């Protein structure tokens, strides 16, 4: 029987306020559960900041621009979802009016760009510069540069994990993380070859190798390795070096995450393990209403039925889409059904064969016996009862041999199918 394996779908996503954004190539959709309970879905197109450039095809370079694109699109999707829950009584400030007057129709794009740049600068300050500064406080006590590099890396990872843990305690963030879990469950459901239903989504894993959490943790870990081998003495150069190496670190991390989504070998699993573990903080179990939002976002940009047919080889009809009743795998179900039918037919043949043997045994064999039913001493002939017992044993031995032969043939056929 064919073993089902994960197949990368190429789609990715992000949790937003009361919703989920899903992206497939240049098309993305943001599905939001509105205050009235209905699901609103917006489908749009996003082109990279270097759209059409060969830079998007060069390994270790494309990751830099993909990272920037994901931040811009993520901020844009968050702003869209927030519009459904903004305070209607809030008044437009003087700064808002001035900003809209200056940039007019491009006000939203400019605002998104400013927030993105500020976010990157803040991340660099917290996760790159701050660990170096804290480590420099030990410089008077520790003279070993290698040990200092290790301490700096440990502080960087500690700050990142504490940051993730800290924001996970916020009520609004916990709900965002539940939508994050629904996003992962949807993608896992498809990539495991299951029809995209609420039932199948809910029983899928909430952790995924291509998660942004895993990407950020990889950035921290790779920075430890690079800063261990690449060193300068001047404090100013140290800060500039850490900023300058960020694109390199992002490029390496992107390639590892990309590989992790396409491979299941033991090395990839080991590399992905820390990120998968950290996702225990950034993903929470969603409810069925959240799964419905995730499904709406996926179906707006991705034909999962065609994907299941192309990758796993079976078509989906309405009978598969009844939650709790759909079969696990059409091909596997057919294989099981065929094997069971074949086994039943062979069992019937064995039964008929045994019946024929028993019918022959029911016939009385012809014996030559003395008319007075006596046997003289020294003769090789046996009594009628003794002869019948002997032939019964021989018939049973023949039946047993024939049954073992058929069972062996049947096992060989099943092994070939597997």
């Amino acid at each position: 029987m064919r073993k089902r394996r994960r197949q990368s779908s190429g789609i990715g996503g992000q949790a937003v306020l009361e919703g989920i954004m899903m992206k497939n190539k240049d098309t993305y959709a943001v599905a939001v559960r509105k205050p009235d309970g209905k699901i609103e879905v917006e489908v749009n197109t996003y082109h990279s900041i270097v759209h059409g450039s060969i830079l998007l095809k060069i390994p270790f370079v494309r990751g830099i621009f993909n990272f920037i694109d994901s931040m811009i699109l993520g901020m844009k999707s968050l702003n869209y979802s927030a519009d459904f829950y903004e305070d209607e009584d809030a008044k437009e400030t003087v700064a808002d009016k001035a900003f809209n007057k200056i940039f007019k129709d491009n006000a939203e794009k400019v605002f998104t760009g400013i927030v993105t740049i500020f976010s990157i600068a803040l991340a660099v300050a917290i996760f790159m510069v701050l660990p170096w500064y804290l480590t420099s406080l030990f410089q008077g006590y520790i003279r070993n540069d290698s040990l200092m590099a290790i301490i700096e890396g440990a502080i960087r990872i500690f700050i990142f994990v504490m940051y993730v843990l800290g924001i996970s305690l916020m009520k609004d963030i916990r709900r965002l993380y539940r939508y994050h879990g629904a996003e992962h469950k949807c993608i896992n459901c498809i990539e495991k070859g299951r029809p995209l239903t609420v039932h199948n989504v809910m029983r899928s894993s909430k952790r995924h190798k291509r998660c942004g959490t895993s990407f950020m943790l990889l950035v921290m870990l790779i920075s430890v390795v690079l800063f261990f081998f690449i060193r300068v003495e001047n404090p100013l150069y140290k800060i500039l070096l850490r900023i300058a190496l960020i694109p390199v670190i992002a490029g390496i991390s992107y390639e590892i995450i990309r590989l992790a989504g396409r491979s299941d070998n033991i090395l990839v699993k080991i590399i992905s393990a820390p990120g998968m573990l950290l996702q225990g903080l950034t993903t929470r179990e969603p409810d069925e209403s959240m799964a419905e939002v995730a499904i709406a976002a996926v179906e707006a940009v991705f034909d999962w039925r065609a994907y299941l047919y192309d990758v796993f080889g079976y078509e989906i009809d309405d009978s598969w889409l009844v939650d709790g009743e759909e079969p696990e795998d059409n091909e596997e179900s057919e294989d099981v059904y065929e094997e069971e039918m074949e086994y039943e037919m062979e069992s019937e043949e064995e039964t008929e064969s045994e019946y024929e043997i028993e019918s022959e045994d029911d016939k009385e064999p012809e014996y030559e016996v003395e008319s007075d039913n006596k046997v003289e001493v020294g003769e090789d002939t046996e009594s009628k009862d003794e002869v019948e017992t002997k032939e019964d044993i021989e018939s049973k031995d023949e039946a047993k041999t024939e049954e073992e032969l058929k069972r062996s043939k049947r096992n060989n056929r099943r092994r070939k199918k597997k």
Side-chain angles (χ1 to χ4, degrees):
M1 194 177 297
R2 188 182 60 167
K3 183 181 179 181
R4 182 188 301 171
R5 293 184 177 180
R6 177 187 300 278
Q7 299 288 335
S8 177
S9 61
I11 61 174
Q14 173 186 314
V16 297
L17 185 63
E18 291 300 323
I20 290 171
M21 181 273 291
M22 286 288 185
K23 184 174 182 291
N24 179 30
K25 298 180 181 178
D26 290 335
T27 305
Y28 73 95
V30 184
V32 179
R33 178 78 70 177
K34 298 192 297 184
D36 61 5
K38 296 180 180 179
I39 300 176
E40 181 79 14
V41 181
E42 182 190 60
V43 181
N44 215 324
T45 301
Y46 176 81
H47 293 297
S48 172
I49 57 175
V50 289
H51 177 66
S53 173
I54 195 175
L55 294 174
L56 293 175
K57 298 180 180 180
I58 301 176
F60 303 103
V61 175
R62 58 191 174 191
I64 302 170
F65 300 103
N66 274 283
F67 174 66
I68 297 173
D69 289 335
S70 65
M71 291 198 65
I72 294 174
L73 181 58
M75 193 64 64
K76 186 176 181 179
S77 301
L78 277 170
N79 291 338
Y80 171 78
S81 64
D83 289 342
F84 291 98
Y85 290 89
E86 64 181 4
D87 189 358
E88 295 180 357
D89 296 332
K91 295 181 179 180
E92 190 177 27
T93 63
V94 176
D96 292 334
K97 291 179 180 179
F99 192 85
N100 292 330
K101 185 177 180 179
I102 294 172
F103 297 103
K104 298 179 181 179
D105 295 338
N106 294 322
E108 183 180 352
K109 292 182 179 179
V110 174
F111 178 77
T112 301
I114 293 173
V115 172
T116 302
I117 292 172
F118 176 77
S119 300
I120 294 174
L122 187 62
V124 170
I126 295 174
F127 301 119
M128 293 296 174
V129 179
L130 180 60
W132 167 80
Y133 172 74
L134 294 176
T135 306
S136 66
L137 300 178
F138 299 95
Q139 199 163 11
Y141 307 95
I142 301 175
R143 297 296 182 181
N144 189 305
D145 291 339
S146 298
L147 182 57
M148 289 287 285
I150 294 173
I151 293 174
E152 180 185 347
I155 292 174
R156 180 176 295 110
I157 295 173
F158 177 78
I159 291 175
F160 176 69
V161 173
M162 288 299 101
Y163 167 79
V164 172
L165 179 61
I167 64 174
S168 68
L169 300 177
M170 300 170 61
K171 182 179 178 181
D172 292 338
I173 297 299
R174 285 202 302 269
R175 187 160 181 84
L176 188 73
Y177 283 171
R178 294 182 71 186
Y179 275 103
H180 189 195
E183 174 224 333
H184 284 188
K185 281 174 173 285
C186 251
I187 297 175
N188 280 323
C189 177
I190 296 170
E191 293 182 347
K192 279 291 188 178
R194 298 174 181 145
L196 194 60
T197 67
V198 173
H199 172 74
N200 283 339
V201 169
M202 292 300 292
R203 67 194 184 98
S204 298
S205 172
K206 64 183 179 68
R207 305 185 189 194
H208 198 281
K209 292 179 182 177
R210 289 188 286 111
C211 176
T213 303
S214 297
F215 174 81
M216 291 305 299
L217 184 59
L218 271 175
V219 167
M220 302 300 153
L221 294 173
I222 292 172
S223 68
V224 174
V225 177
L226 289 185
F227 297 156
F228 183 85
F229 292 103
I230 304 175
R231 305 173 189 172
V232 292
E233 296 297 330
N234 189 294
L236 179 60
Y237 289 165
K238 285 185 177 182
I239 296 175
L240 293 177
L241 178 66
R242 277 148 181 75
I243 296 174
L245 285 178
I246 289 175
V248 178
I249 296 170
I252 297 172
S253 302
Y254 174 80
E255 297 301 325
I256 294 176
I257 285 290
R258 192 168 183 268
L259 175 64
R262 298 171 179 269
S263 176
D264 277 328
N265 65 59
I266 186 65
L267 179 61
V268 169
K269 288 182 178 179
I270 293 173
I271 295 174
S272 302
M276 298 287 279
L277 184 63
L278 189 60
Q279 287 178 43
L281 294 176
T282 62
T283 58
R284 300 293 176 89
E285 281 295 328
D287 56 32
E288 292 188 354
S289 67
M290 295 174 178
E292 290 173 354
V293 176
I295 290 173
V298 171
E299 291 185 330
V301 297
F302 186 73
D303 188 351
W304 59 268
R305 290 174 176 83
Y307 169 82
L308 294 185
Y309 180 77
D310 293 339
V311 176
F312 296 94
Y314 54 79
E315 295 186 33
I316 306 298
D317 55 35
D318 292 340
S319 65
W320 290 68
L321 305 182
V322 180
D323 274 333
E325 296 182 5
E326 68 274 16
E328 285 289 327
D329 188 322
N330 194 28
E331 277 195 18
E332 291 183 0
S333 300
E334 288 180 358
D335 289 343
V336 172
Y337 177 76
E338 289 177 359
E339 286 189 5
E340 289 177 350
M341 290 298 294
E342 183 179 1
Y343 177 79
E344 290 176 2
M345 292 174 64
E346 290 176 352
S347 298
E348 290 176 359
E349 291 176 0
E350 290 176 5
T351 303
E352 291 176 358
S353 176
E354 291 174 359
Y355 177 76
E356 291 174 359
I357 294 172
E358 290 175 359
S359 298
E360 292 176 359
D361 290 342
D362 289 338
K363 297 178 182 179
E364 293 185 2
E366 296 180 359
Y367 300 103
E368 292 183 2
V369 293
E370 297 289 338
S371 59
D372 56 359
N373 292 329
K374 293 182 180 179
V375 179
E376 295 182 1
V377 178
E379 291 184 348
D380 294 333
T381 57
E382 298 174 327
S383 68
K384 178 179 179 179
D385 292 338
E386 291 174 339
V387 173
E388 286 180 346
T389 303
K390 182 178 180 179
E391 290 188 359
D392 285 343
I393 294 172
E394 292 176 352
S395 299
K396 289 179 181 180
D397 290 340
E398 291 176 0
K400 184 177 180 181
T401 302
E402 186 176 355
E403 182 180 355
E404 289 176 350
L405 181 60
K406 289 184 177 181
R407 186 181 295 110
S408 176
K409 290 181 179 179
R410 183 167 63 253
N411 290 336
N412 287 335
R413 284 198 297 270
R414 287 179 179 174
R415 279 194 288 268
K416 289 180 180 179
K417 286 185 179 181
K418 292 179 182 178

